[in-house]
Amino acid sequence: MVLYQIYPRSFADADGDGTGDLQGVIDRAGHLERLGVDGVWLSPIMRSPGVDHGYDVSDPRDVDPLFGDVGTLRRLVERLHASGMVLIMDLVPNHTSIEHAWFAAALAAGPGSPERARYIFRDGRGADGSAPPTNWPSVFGGPAWTRVTEPDGSAGQWYLHLFAPEQPDLNWSNGEVADDLERTLRFWLDLGVDGFRIDVAHGLAKPETLEDLPEGVEIAQLVVDERDARWDRPGVHDVHRRIRRVVDEYPGAATFGEVWVGPVERFARYVRPDELHFAFHFALTGAPFEAAAIRDAVESTLEASRIADSTPTWALSNHDVVREVTRYGNGAIGTARARAMLLVELALPGIAFVYNGAELGLPSDFRVPRDRLTDPTWERTGHAELGRDHCRVPLPWAGSAPPYGFTTAEDTWLPQPRGWGRLTAREQSVDPDSTLSLYREAIRIRHSWPGTTVPAVTWLDTFDGCLLFCREDGGVLCMINTSRHAVPVPDGDVVLASGPLDGTRLPPDTAVWLQ
């Protein structure tokens, strides 16, 4: 299975306001059909003030007017289903928006109230309570605690937010929180969606006693340090079991967890038979373009899947990381390496994810003007970190200049760079050597293989700086050359190559499929 992640703000705009929307996805569904993907993972479209672009949810059972309405989403589900594709929605159970009705009630009710018990409120430290309850930091920079003003006007308690202050963390030891999530799950499943990608799936449970983090912990990261009490708590598995019980009432529905847990034994716990169906293992996403690192990433992902007898997932990029073209070196080298890594990803068993724009070979754009940056990380770090806007620039569809057919407006919500005319979908559709054509052909061939789920590959001896492997359930022989020299191609018929071969030799930064 190949799933395509759509960042809805940046995919296609149908109403001319410069921001992508659900009707834009419907209008461009033909692109997905021609690409050959099996479904869509749709980043957040629930009602939200948009401080973190939808990951601050004010109403989890409504569509934000920026993207359309519930009826538009229903039409999108019907359109995808008619083409044999599924729709996976983003679910954000770790926190709400400060504009959620619950949080307004918590502020109005005061300390010790049932309303505050839905969140994580604590008294501050010091005689006057003016110091945060712990030294916990926010992932977006700054402290993870914000002090509130009580109904009587006095300085009051502090609330926890592992992300932005506008995203207060929910208290998952409170039964009302779980009950409300069940209502949310059923609302969207009844509408026809096929499952959920669960945001921060390893961070939902918090320790009963909130204590300072020890010195030396990588405190501002999502990735788990075993000494970091914010993540991967035992209670998180009870949450996923409860979610699973609801989702299992809907045949065919599935959950995908965002799980930033490094040790494979701990990662594997999330995909036990009564928890998540699938989980993102980010080893390949973060691996540099080096043979040894790529192999280690593949092996760790497969090992986690074998421990839990689950299906592995693979992704080279998403809405939070530097796009692969840029990450592997930018320019012609970065593009060649990204194309090669596509063949590695699609040759592996399991579920492959493609982030919108990767099929066009888009780079990350770090030239977004500073006054146009929207990611909360930019402000929260005092302009020390640019944030993630670089990988969220709207897609170019056609034409030689912005907005490249993305919108009828003069400008897009994030500005598009000049020079993307050669990367538009229309331009690449008629070029058999384009990155878009490579994606289409690779996905088509992948779908012809007999199976894609057995979590194992066979590694074969090859040259230094190269990898050579085949799946144990069919498929092809895949070889990638990360060295600086061309090497002989093994015997076999060439099925597909990421770039031109040098006769019978595989050039650097190139991969090939052999039968």
Side-chain angles (χ1 to χ4, degrees), residues 98 327 342 493:
I98 57 173
R327 197 169 68 245
L342 170 69
D493 296 328

Side-chain angles (χ1 to χ4, degrees), residues 93 172 181 204-205 235-244:
W172 269 95
L181 183 68
L204 307 181
V236 76
H237 299 287
D238 293 330
V239 177
H240 290 302
R241 291 186 186 99
R242 184 158 183 175
I243 293 172
R244 179 65 177 264

Side-chain angles (χ1 to χ4, degrees), residues 395-479:
L395 269 58
W397 290 100
S400 58
Y404 301 111
F406 173 82
T407 181
T408 56
E410 293 183 0
D411 198 7
T412 51
W413 75 277
L414 281 176
Q416 299 164 306
R418 295 194 174 274
W420 274 14
R422 61 185 177 79
L423 298 177
T424 66
R426 178 175 296 174
E427 184 79 11
Q428 294 196 47
S429 290
V430 296
D431 179 2
D433 297 322
S434 69
T435 297
L436 178 57
S437 295
L438 177 69
Y439 267 77
R440 289 175 175 174
E441 183 64 5
I443 293 172
R444 184 193 67 78
I445 294 170
R446 177 184 167 96
H447 281 147
S448 70
W449 300 338
T452 58
T453 60
V454 176
V457 299
T458 298
W459 299 99
L460 304 173
D461 291 336
T462 187
F463 306 94
D464 289 343
C466 298
L467 294 175
L468 181 63
F469 69 90
C470 64
R471 289 209 328 248
E472 295 188 0
D473 60 352
V476 293
L477 193 69
C478 179
M479 183 175 183

Side-chain angles (χ1 to χ4, degrees), residues 330-342:
N330 231 332
I333 289 177
T335 298
R337 291 174 174 176
R339 289 166 60 99
M341 285 300 296
L342 170 69

Side-chain angles (χ1 to χ4, degrees), residues 198-217:
I198 301 177
D199 188 58
V200 197
H202 63 302
L204 307 181
K206 309 300 188 293
E208 292 184 11
T209 302
L210 304 182
E211 300 177 350
D212 281 349
L213 301 179
E215 293 184 7
V217 173

